Amino acid sequence: MNTRKEWKKAGKHSLKKHYWLFVVVCLFAAIIGSEYESSLDFFSAESNNRIELQAKKGKAAVDKIKEEGSAALPSTLDDQLSENLIVDMMKGDQKKAEQKAEQNEKKEQKKKDSIGGIISLNHQKGVLATVVNKISSGAVLVTVYSAIKSIVRDNNWASFIFILFAALIMIALWVFLINVYRVIMKRIFMEGSTYEKVQSNRFLFLSRVGRHFKVSKAALKWTVYETLWSLTIVGYFIKHYAYFMTPYILAENPDLTGSEAITLSRQIMYGHKWEAFKLDISFILWDALGWITFGLGALFFVAPYREATYVEYYKFIRKTAFDNKIENCELMNDKYIFEKADRELLIPKYEDVRNIKAEGTELPKEKGFKGFIAKWLGIVPVMNEYEWEYRRIQTNKAKVKNLEDAIDGKSYPRRLFTLPEKEKGSKESSLLYTRRYCITSAIFMFFFFCFIGWSWEVILHLVEHGDFVNRGVNYGPWLPIYGTGGIGALLLFTRIKKYPVATFFASIVFCGTIEYITGASLLAKHGARFWNYSGYFLNINGHVCAEGLLVFGVACIACIYIVAPVLDNLFSRMSLKLAIIICVALLTVFIADNIYSRKYPNLEGMSPKSRKQYLKENPDAYEHQLWNVLGIKELQKRSQMMKKS
């Protein structure tokens, strides 16, 4: 395979096998600014407006210079710079920068955009809105500058440290993330060329072999060389293609230094630079497709197609180097990156996996209603011998999950790599999230989530307003919406737990639906809101907002993968008889609370506005509050009077 047509054909075949993975890899490269940044042009919603605005400003500046002559040039440039608060901080004018940031933040807070008139993009309330406003207004930068100045107490030094601090952050990101990611990207495409599966943990390839910092130094050296050569027109084109294979060589052997990788690239590209240039030029029409489609074509086809083709070209150059016995070609020593290992070689390396598989990883399937509930909801009546054996087998499955494909030749055999690669620690049964839960354990977890949700809202109110309030319509220390969301996500997502990303988004939809229905129902029944997200960033009719949904999504992930297994281990130690007694007692009190609060809701849990509205329609509501019925308030008054006396 030694023609452009064949390289491109093989590249398309590789792209077809791993289309979405390759697209995501290139998308992330564009986002962090590593490569293919132009593929995001379509998603810059305000790019045309910005271009038009800059054009108008440019025209105004030119007109001003024409009218007033060259003397107007400095003032025109100063007008442009004065709009940027970063320039003010560099000049040491903190007060002016703070004023601009405050003005910008007020403008952001006044925004009341919406999507379809339903989903509000308000910026007035909530942590998410505050973060969005502070970032977009530049207030975050001013805060950092103010913190530096409060320490050094000198404008000049504060400006110097601020510039140095910003420069160091940008350099660190470029050296340790942006530049290194180019090598990681090559590695993923290289494995995808040979194997049917590429595991997501390959993004951490360099960290797993302990060579992230070494490759960052090598990549830095290679980039500096290219940058210096770019100062010479002819030299840049020659050296660019001379160094062309450096990231591929580092991806294959990350133990090399920058000098070794660069030298080897020069050696194997000797006599092939013009060939590489022609391969590059052959994509010009595809690049035009990317320009015409405002980057969409580049994102969803051209970028991954180009990268896949370059990998095929590297394979050709690599083979040619070995055939011609180029000096130091043995440094490209990852034998199984482009060829599959014999099964006889794999078996000894994966003996532990074979032993586990030989034991068997399946149990006789349960039938009937019990089997259906266990399969789809992950609930069983009690923990018996069958369930404990099921957990043991599930633990073994988790141990070999990422290694089976290597044995079958479907993914890269990491244990055959020249550098020892850290493998993810075996998942012990204590954190096995694919387990099934007994009924008593599920009930305990429901109340635990209810109590945690109640505590969270009580503490928030205490911090914000300084007084203790029993949150929610119920009287007990629980908020059923949290318990329903937590246990509902735990059970309903039984079949997709092995896909964390899907579980996260499903949790957002599920919890958002529950919160919206609950909020709308309470509003319809009581004519009052028990919570109101109006003014929060990305809210829907005030019942749900992006900030809350993100918290719910993260909470559900933590619940499913960490909290629930840990709690189940704790509850499983309890005897079945004691567990049943406690569950019955909790459910009895909870049901009674719900029946009573359905007719006479807890007024403390309402916002002042909602409480006032509710009392208009129910003037005798306070008489039926549980604390009055039980005489608790009266006892508190007597106690206070006794203390005063």
Side-chain angles (χ1 to χ4, degrees), residues 590-625:
F590 179 74
I591 292 171
D593 187 356
N594 273 272
I595 292 174
Y596 189 82
S597 60
R598 187 175 180 83
K599 189 173 183 180
Y600 307 112
N602 173 27
L603 295 179
E604 275 193 356
M606 295 183 180
S607 64
K609 184 178 178 181
S610 300
R611 187 186 306 120
K612 185 177 180 181
Q613 185 177 348
Y614 182 79
L615 287 172
K616 284 182 179 179
E617 300 177 5
N618 303 274
D620 60 342
Y622 272 116
E623 297 178 11
H624 301 287
Q625 294 293 285

Side-chain angles (χ1 to χ4, degrees), residues 14 16 26 29 37 56 60 149 206 288 297 325 356 403 443 494 512 546 579 614 631:
S14 179
K16 186 177 180 180
C26 292
E37 297 97 320
K56 289 180 178 179
K149 187 182 175 183
L206 293 176
K325 298 181 180 179
I356 291 174
L403 302 175
I443 292 173
T494 296
Y614 182 79

Side-chain angles (χ1 to χ4, degrees), residues 48 104 142 177 357 373 404 526 619:
N48 292 333
N104 292 339
V142 176
L177 174 63
K357 292 179 72 174
I373 295 298
E404 289 178 318
H526 301 295

Side-chain angles (χ1 to χ4, degrees), residues 19 23 38-39 42-43 286-305:
Y19 178 75
V23 168
S38 61
S39 63
F42 181 84
F43 300 97
W286 288 113
D287 290 333
L289 174 65
W291 301 330
I292 293 170
T293 58
F294 300 100
L296 283 179
L299 175 61
F300 289 104
F301 182 73
V302 182
Y305 173 40

